[in-house]
Amino acid sequence: MLNKSNYMSLVVLNFILALSACADKDRSPLIQPAASPAAEQAQWNKEDHLIRAIGTLPEGKLLIKPLSQAVAAPLGAPSCYGQETDLRWSGHYEAWWESSSEGGSSKVSEFPDDFEIVQQGEAPTPMQHFQLGGIDILAFVPRYTDCHGLETYFFGVKEGKAFPLKLMLNDGQIVPQISQIPHRSLQIQSEELVLTGGFGAGQEFVDVYHFQYDALQELLIVTSKEKVKYNDLIFDE
């Protein structure tokens, strides 16, 4: 049993502890908890109305821009799709042509509703330009890198007019875009567009396509396809 002296000491100790707890409750913490990546991304999400890619020619400009608005956010984590600080845009995008001679602008084509663009900065991405079969061709690549293959869209420009340039494959199938292996530029060789296809895990050989422009059908048509060992490919620096 506690004697009177011990009992009074216990009462005093409990009183001191209670005062200390109240003081700690009122005191603001010195270190705030870090926000989660998801929370940071949600705070950064913003509407975007700006041009995301541009192809410039003497006859005019081809612009990739959202129909109304798009949403931009950081990629969030490093992967084969890009770095953590890269930016991802999503929304309904369209291609528009602005003529230098006639003025005004006209819609050329539109992309799927779930279209996605990933780039390293907010500035519009310049399109690759080359000439083939008597026309100017602009190549639009929505993502700068990828795990297996980069979506690539082509647009033709002739006599001051722009049009979507589809591709006809060996089986006669006509497609709006094709995947090319990352870090290996498109090339023009002997009046042909040379494009190296995408690459998957466990794949030893990669398809290398040769296209020619068919003015009558306004198509890029495969004239030949060869298989090249992945280890024999030369990539951009």
Side-chain angles (χ1 to χ4, degrees), residues 142-197:
R143 298 187 300 274
Y144 79 97
T145 189
D146 197 276
C147 304
H148 306 295
L150 298 171
E151 274 185 306
T152 304
Y153 296 82
F154 295 96
F155 298 89
V157 179
K158 185 178 181 180
E159 299 176 353
K161 304 290 185 180
F163 53 92
L165 196 50
K166 296 183 179 181
L167 307 99
M168 179 182 286
L169 305 182
N170 290 51
D171 57 2
Q173 181 185 10
I174 297 177
V175 295
Q177 55 88 13
I178 192 169
S179 292
Q180 61 168 317
I181 200 167
H183 312 299
R184 183 171 163 84
S185 298
L186 300 167
Q187 300 176 6
I188 299 295
Q189 299 176 1
S190 303
E191 285 301 306
E192 291 184 330
L193 166 65
V194 181
L195 180 149
T196 306

Side-chain angles (χ1 to χ4, degrees), residues 95-106:
W96 284 75
W97 173 250
E98 290 187 352
S99 173
S100 300
S101 58
E102 299 179 3
S105 60
S106 57

Side-chain angles (χ1 to χ4, degrees), residues 205-216:
F205 291 90
V206 181
D207 291 328
V208 178
Y209 298 88
H210 293 253
F211 290 93
Q212 288 184 349
Y213 174 63
D214 185 311
L216 185 62

